[in-house]
Amino acid sequence: MSDELFRLTIHQAAGLLRRREITSVELTQAVLERIYAVDNAVRAYLSLMPEAALERAAAADCALAAADDPASLPALLGIPLAIKDVILVEGAPTTCGSKMLEDFVSPFEATVIGKLRAAGAVLLGKTNTDEFAMGSSTENSAFVATRNPWDLSRVPGGSSGGSAAAVAADECLAALGSDTGGSVRQPAALCGVVGIKPTYGRVSRYGLTAFASSLDQIGCLTKDVTDAALLLHAIAGHDPLDSTSMDAPIPDYAAALGLARSETGQSYEARSETGQSFGALGLARSETGQSYETSVALAGLRPSQPLHGLRVGVPREYFIDGMQPEVEQAVRAAIDALVSLGAELREISLPHTQYALPVYYLIAPAEASANLARYDGVRYGLRHPDAQTMWEGFKLSRGAGFGPEVKRRIMLGAYALSAGYYDAYYLKAQQVRTLLKRDFDLAFQQVDVIAAPVSPTTAFRVGEKADDPMSMYLADVFTLSLNLAGNCGLSVPCGFDLQGLPIGLQLIGPAFGEAAILRAAYAYEQATDWRARRPVVGERWPVNGKRRTVNGKR
Amino acid sequence: MHLSTADVEHIAELAKLALTLEEIEQYRRQLSDILEHFETLKQVDTSSVPPTASVLPLRTVMRADVVRPSLPTDDALANAPDREDGFFRVRAVFGEE
């Protein structure tokens, strides 16, 4: 067991920690050793903070040892996590994958990081990203191209590719990412892990580097659905420091996993009677495959019909010519599985889907061109040494600090907002955005959850799309509508293509419908065994010194 | 949509980006190509459709006007490329010539 601790999920580790079968220091050390063993191949991390991580792990062990009732402790206590390098961790670098911020050290901390600290989580380091989260492959990082643990010649997806690869390669127990047009869900699908993009307003974005402010949302990348529920619960909630965060109740997502729509509260209460106040910790008790039947039986449902009464919509516009045949087959088979679990299928239409891509690639760059105006080489970031005047300094610093895709999007956005083109591009895109949102609003009058593919293909090869921005943009064709409409969505593994590359099922919910999509994903996950297949990463690669070792705030 | 070199230079000026001649030509081609794909938006009748800037049902959120601790000056200046006496140091707004 001891040499395989890095393979644990959050809920498995939480159970072992509470039963004092392992310590957080042992767990953290095992994950750090795993990083040292495989990350020169995967290249998921941009910086590590091993000393701070082990100090926090030791503190978690003290709290666990001192607790009279370990089950009452936060689920994330002593759990080693990775953070996408667009989220500020005080005292640690935040590069956003950009030369512009190569030397930037965060002077303050994101609200989500404060919440993770309060829950006792251990922060391992910062993961690679496409520059300023702009991209679908993590190749746009100014520092290194992260590789897909399933096939090191392929991309992990993006822009949260470092976080997805780190979770898939067991280089952390779970990770935070950010999703502006699919940047959590698409890499989760391509790396065979679970990724959830919460509703816009569900999670505070204070301390998340702004890309497109009407679309950005922090999300979770995890090894299974239970962990997604636990991590989301820990970071969700209103924040006075983010005026776009909503003061909406936070469901106990982990408890909701076993519930039918009509059975509100019952499963959770039933499990509580067995003395387990936390749904996930209850699941950790029985890793022999019994937990699912147990929780469903306690909910008073037939084990084979956990989704009884759930209405699942299948949008015809999400099955298009040109998508990889194995992806369509796997997603259709997953939808059949939802039916066999009791869900009721409805064909639906989201008629404006074909316009989502142009709408997104006008609105997101327009907002980015405004947000990235702050990088002027004055208060922080790269400053070009040759300039004589202020304006020349701005231009030279930005020209040298930003990479090709960031410049491309700033240009596209500045054009869409410029005099003479504003109405034809930016305003038009905002109007069609209204129609996209109406499509979803109408659909969610008929269904509870929408099922669709995440990505039209499995992981592509490094370099394959690097010189063709339009073909790279098409990688997001099934994910970006949600951000435009303000829905929540997740990716859950649903099979493999002929080359053994993972495929993701996307489950989409209405605003603040996270509990419903998590519940459907959990039932599907428990009825299948895709999770049993893990990537074999070339271990013991030669260590080189490229990654930075730093130490953030303890 | 076909962008000219002058169009690209104008956008680069608006965006305050110093570009090389190669970049200008590359972005001219790529942005023309991307905008060409986006012509499909013109097919959609939006004559009576209001724009959506944000999906949230929130209006302007106010907070109490109460003084709170803020980032100390040294911390705010810690990442500055150039500073002096507790200030950011900038280049001359107008040239010396």
Side-chain angles (χ1 to χ4, degrees), chain A residues 42 54 102 240 282 519:
Chain A
V42 178
L54 287 167
E102 189 166 4
R519 187 171 70 84

PDB file of all heavy atoms in Angstrom, chain A residues 42 54 102 240 282 519:
ATOM      1  N   VAL A  42       5.766  13.921 -18.065  1.00  0.00           N
ATOM      2  CA  VAL A  42       4.431  14.523 -18.237  1.00  0.00           C
ATOM      3  C   VAL A  42       4.507  16.047 -18.309  1.00  0.00           C
ATOM      4  O   VAL A  42       3.773  16.679 -19.059  1.00  0.00           O
ATOM      5  CB  VAL A  42       3.501  14.092 -17.078  1.00  0.00           C
ATOM      6  CG1 VAL A  42       2.123  14.735 -17.216  1.00  0.00           C
ATOM      7  CG2 VAL A  42       3.355  12.565 -17.060  1.00  0.00           C
ATOM      8  N   LEU A  54       4.852  19.742   2.929  1.00  0.00           N
ATOM      9  CA  LEU A  54       5.106  18.794   4.022  1.00  0.00           C
ATOM     10  C   LEU A  54       4.816  19.421   5.386  1.00  0.00           C
ATOM     11  O   LEU A  54       4.349  18.737   6.299  1.00  0.00           O
ATOM     12  CB  LEU A  54       6.545  18.272   3.938  1.00  0.00           C
ATOM     13  CG  LEU A  54       6.764  17.285   2.778  1.00  0.00           C
ATOM     14  CD1 LEU A  54       8.252  17.033   2.540  1.00  0.00           C
ATOM     15  CD2 LEU A  54       6.030  15.958   3.036  1.00  0.00           C
ATOM     16  N   GLU A 102       6.663  35.802 -15.841  1.00  0.00           N
ATOM     17  CA  GLU A 102       7.639  34.779 -15.468  1.00  0.00           C
ATOM     18  C   GLU A 102       8.165  34.980 -14.044  1.00  0.00           C
ATOM     19  O   GLU A 102       8.405  34.013 -13.321  1.00  0.00           O
ATOM     20  CB  GLU A 102       8.803  34.787 -16.467  1.00  0.00           C
ATOM     21  CG  GLU A 102       9.750  33.623 -16.274  1.00  0.00           C
ATOM     22  CD  GLU A 102      10.686  33.427 -17.451  1.00  0.00           C
ATOM     23  OE1 GLU A 102      10.649  34.260 -18.388  1.00  0.00           O
ATOM     24  OE2 GLU A 102      11.443  32.448 -17.443  1.00  0.00           O
ATOM     25  N   PRO A 240     -17.755  38.330  -0.855  1.00  0.00           N
ATOM     26  CA  PRO A 240     -17.917  39.784  -1.013  1.00  0.00           C
ATOM     27  C   PRO A 240     -16.853  40.409  -1.914  1.00  0.00           C
ATOM     28  O   PRO A 240     -17.061  41.491  -2.451  1.00  0.00           O
ATOM     29  CB  PRO A 240     -17.773  40.324   0.420  1.00  0.00           C
ATOM     30  CG  PRO A 240     -17.859  39.158   1.324  1.00  0.00           C
ATOM     31  CD  PRO A 240     -17.546  37.928   0.542  1.00  0.00           C
ATOM     32  N   GLY A 282     -18.335   7.958   4.070  1.00  0.00           N
ATOM     33  CA  GLY A 282     -19.085   6.713   4.091  1.00  0.00           C
ATOM     34  C   GLY A 282     -18.683   5.829   2.932  1.00  0.00           C
ATOM     35  O   GLY A 282     -18.467   4.633   3.093  1.00  0.00           O
ATOM     36  N   ARG A 519     -24.968  13.778  -9.687  1.00  0.00           N
ATOM     37  CA  ARG A 519     -25.685  12.555  -9.347  1.00  0.00           C
ATOM     38  C   ARG A 519     -25.771  11.610 -10.555  1.00  0.00           C
ATOM     39  O   ARG A 519     -25.531  10.407 -10.451  1.00  0.00           O
ATOM     40  CB  ARG A 519     -27.097  12.890  -8.864  1.00  0.00           C
ATOM     41  CG  ARG A 519     -27.858  11.700  -8.343  1.00  0.00           C
ATOM     42  CD  ARG A 519     -29.149  12.142  -7.673  1.00  0.00           C
ATOM     43  NE  ARG A 519     -30.123  12.655  -8.617  1.00  0.00           N
ATOM     44  CZ  ARG A 519     -30.952  11.871  -9.312  1.00  0.00           C
ATOM     45  NH1 ARG A 519     -30.897  10.560  -9.176  1.00  0.00           N
ATOM     46  NH2 ARG A 519     -31.822  12.400 -10.137  1.00  0.00           N
TER      47      ARG A 519
END
